[in-house]
Amino acid sequence: MKETIEKEITRGGEFVVKETQSENIFTPEDFSDEQKMMRDAVKEFADREIWSKKEEFEKKNFQLTLDVMKKAGELGFLGVGVPEEYGGLGMSFTSTMLVCDYISGSSGSTSTAFGAHTGIGTMPILLYGNEEQKNKYVPKLASGEHFGAYCLTEPGAGSDANSGKTKAVLSKDKSHYLISGQKIWISNAGFADILTVFAKIEDDKNLTAFIVPIDNLVGNEGDGFKIAMNALNIGRIKLAAAALDAERRIINSSINYSKERVQFNTKISEFGAIREKVATMATDIYVGESATYRAAKDIEDRIKILEDSGKNHQEAELKGVEEYVIECSMLKVAISEDLQNIADQGIQIFGGMGYSKETPMESAWRDARIARIYEGTNEINRLVAIGMLIKKGMKGHVDLISKAESVADELTGIPSFEIPDLSGVFKEEKIILKNLKKIFLMLCGAGMKKFGLDIEKEQEVLMSISDIMIKIYLSESAILRTEKNCNRYGEENQKGQIAMTQLYLYQSVELISNKAKELIISLSNSEEQKFLLMGLKRFTKYFNYPKPLELKRKIAKMVIDNNSYCF
Ligand SMILES: Cc1cc2nc3c(=O)[nH]c(=O)nc-3n(C[C@H](O)[C@H](O)[C@H](O)COP(=O)(O)OP(=O)(O)OC[C@H]3O[C@@H](n4cnc5c(N)ncnc54)[C@H](O)[C@@H]3O)c2cc1C
């Protein structure tokens, strides 16, 4: 029997103007028994085959990566999201994210090989290939008999991928294309059997995708840029998932070390300076998980709705992911940067040993660093996220305009001095969240008023607005996850989670406040400035401040007493 989706689904980017109910989001606590079994199997595999051989991986033992990929294929991990008719397990989008999360944390080498193969190496063929191409290539990619690579970047065409110069020329007898050009930085190129190569046919303006070595055109002529970008959207959200277990492993190693290392006759885990780092690391992991799995399930539900409306799986998956381009880009930015910070804190906890190759921190930092560059740099992804939202606003797909007008009206009105009912978990936090969205709308309105459509040239402005949007999405995801779990397990059970959510929101308010102030004082004249700064003050107001140090102490105690990240 077909399962129907009854909950209300927030469309891509709509969270900035809409309130989401906690019962309508997916949280990591909602995984089914089957998914938990899959997670445990993947984790056991990663511990046994990758983590325990980390030193060997670090010696660039290339064969080891290949062996692990083969074994992952034998266990079905390479084809989790591939439909059964093409040799995969046909599991849901969230299941593919779960596998990606737990297989990727132990080594940067396998993480990249796995991500490139299952994401950008397989998806263009699965999503855009014709039946013959899918039958021919996908089962071998899903089983690990063949490996895939995605060849877009060229020496002269990185972020500006559509400017690539690789050419495809049709042979005189029209039997094949001759592709010539240069590609660079292609993950898995050293061992891949099937390459998706992006090239321009003759003098076309746009790229076309080919399966190489046997020249095959994927999709239609000129569709290559669209194919490349859509494959990247999936890659971006998977990259966010891939960073999560790396973060858990870093915090766990750091806690273990801090409990063994003694200085001043004291275990360093007892120093507040160390405990504060552990608390912040745990908070970022918890919030990242909340946002990643929320978005993953939104995508999965959208795919299902599209399938129910008659689209085939291929079209439905394409459109489903496309709908959440904004979320995919935001997650890629936020979690790759969290991973970097967490790895950096990990090094600090290990002290001099953290700087040495003898401990896993040095490689964790190095591995984390690439996540901010590939799958579109974080600058490009910040611009994509806000640019796409503005486009959706102009088209009326997200009601930015009238909501921004309402905020402007509210600013000219007399503020209420009534103290709202703040009893109950997250009453105050939810008011603040609503107000943060108003700040976002206020800045979008002010930016559009000043620059009009030329705002797309104002990158510093867009970057800051994008950062504000990212903090709102992550804070909201944590609030909704914790609220949902408080409702089912009770507040007592969620003490640590409540503390992390409050801490993250408090820190987000501070960051948003600074970024917004910088924009307001840089962009507005003195009259507007007064008015917007008053709005900013009103919208960042806490009735009762949380006590950040107390929250950090509570979180650190839970994680350190438990010897590992325990949420
Ligand atoms: C280890 C590794 C693996 C990779 N794997 C693959 C792969 O499998 N397949 C593949 O096709 N590619 C791959 N890449 C390439 C990767 O996607 C590119 O490196 C990335 O897109 C950036 O391009 P670039 O290096 O040319 O930097 P550039 O585009 O030259 O960027 C340099 C700087 O300028 C900034 N910048 C550029 N344009 C803008 C703009 N419009 N606005 C604001 N800032 C801008 C960037 O954000 C960056 O900070 C990989 C790269 C590495 C290092």
Side-chain angles (χ1 to χ4, degrees), residues 120 150-153 158-159 184-187 370 373-377 379-380 383 459:
I120 52 182
Y150 166 99
C151 314
L152 178 65
T153 307
S159 300
I184 189 173
W185 298 123
I186 307 306
S187 305
I370 185 58
I373 297 171
Y374 60 18
E375 306 275 357
T377 64
E379 290 77 21
I380 294 294
L383 295 173
Q459 288 197 346

Side-chain angles (χ1 to χ4, degrees), residues 52-343:
S52 67
K53 299 175 187 164
K54 194 150 173 74
E55 277 176 33
E56 269 303 296
F57 277 101
E58 284 304 315
K59 287 180 194 153
K60 300 194 173 60
N61 183 342
F62 168 70
Q63 187 58 37
L64 207 55
T65 300
L66 208 52
D67 291 346
V68 165
M69 288 290 286
K70 286 267 175 217
K71 285 181 191 166
E74 283 159 20
L75 293 168
F77 299 153
L78 302 181
V80 181
V82 172
E84 284 170 289
E85 68 255 45
Y86 305 115
L89 300 181
M91 289 178 79
S92 63
F93 192 78
T94 43
S95 302
T96 65
M97 294 282 287
L98 194 62
V99 171
C100 187
D101 177 345
Y102 283 88
I103 210 164
S104 304
S106 7
S107 125
S109 155
T110 26
S111 170
T112 297
F114 179 86
H117 171 74
T118 58
I120 52 182
T122 303
M123 292 321 267
I125 305 176
L126 186 62
L127 295 181
Y128 287 95
N130 58 34
E131 255 339 279
E132 195 190 330
Q133 290 168 334
K134 284 190 284 181
N135 283 318
K136 185 167 175 186
Y137 297 108
V138 178
K140 288 183 179 165
L141 289 168
S143 68
E145 189 182 329
H146 281 167
F147 290 114
Y150 166 99
C151 314
L152 178 65
T153 307
E154 298 183 12
S159 300
D160 186 9
N162 204 34
S163 67
K165 300 218 172 343
T166 298
K167 273 239 150 36
V169 178
L170 193 59
S171 63
K172 278 201 177 115
D173 63 0
K174 299 194 175 185
S175 66
H176 64 276
Y177 284 95
L178 184 68
I179 297 181
S180 52
Q182 242 186 318
K183 295 287 175 183
I184 189 173
W185 298 123
I186 307 306
S187 305
N188 296 357
F191 57 84
D193 310 273
I194 299 169
L195 313 175
T196 302
V197 176
F198 296 88
K200 282 179 184 155
I201 296 180
E202 313 282 348
D203 293 321
D204 279 1
K205 273 201 185 123
N206 288 322
L207 294 168
T208 301
F210 294 87
I211 302 171
V212 173
I214 309 137
D215 290 351
N216 279 298
L217 195 148
V218 186
N220 298 316
E221 184 174 337
D223 276 356
F225 190 61
K226 191 171 80 182
I227 297 174
M229 292 304 114
N230 274 329
L232 277 183
N233 289 331
I234 299 183
R236 285 167 185 164
I237 187 167
K238 284 197 173 164
L239 187 62
L244 293 172
D245 204 50
E247 295 178 347
R248 295 185 203 102
R249 286 178 191 268
I250 294 168
I251 193 174
N252 292 345
S253 302
S254 304
I255 293 168
N256 285 340
Y257 183 80
S258 71
K259 288 178 116 170
E260 282 165 13
R261 176 73 176 162
V262 175
Q263 288 295 284
F264 302 97
N265 292 324
T266 311
K267 286 180 186 167
I268 62 166
S269 62
E270 288 172 31
F271 294 127
I274 299 292
R275 296 175 84 82
E276 185 173 27
K277 294 188 206 319
V278 171
T280 316
M281 290 158 104
T283 302
D284 284 344
I285 300 170
Y286 177 76
V287 176
E289 285 172 348
S290 313
T292 303
Y293 286 106
R294 169 192 183 186
K297 188 63 162 64
D298 282 342
I299 291 174
E300 182 176 314
D301 288 345
R302 178 65 48 198
I303 293 171
K304 175 130 199 356
I305 288 171
L306 290 163
E307 280 177 333
D308 289 349
S309 73
K311 295 227 180 308
N312 65 31
H313 181 76
Q314 194 171 358
E315 284 175 292
E317 180 149 353
L318 256 176
K319 291 275 164 217
V321 176
E322 214 179 316
E323 169 80 34
Y324 292 95
V325 168
I326 295 169
E327 284 77 0
C328 292
S329 284
M330 289 193 307
L331 288 167
K332 191 273 179 185
V333 171
I335 301 182
S336 62
E337 292 180 5
D338 284 346
L339 175 59
Q340 190 79 69
N341 293 336
I342 288 171

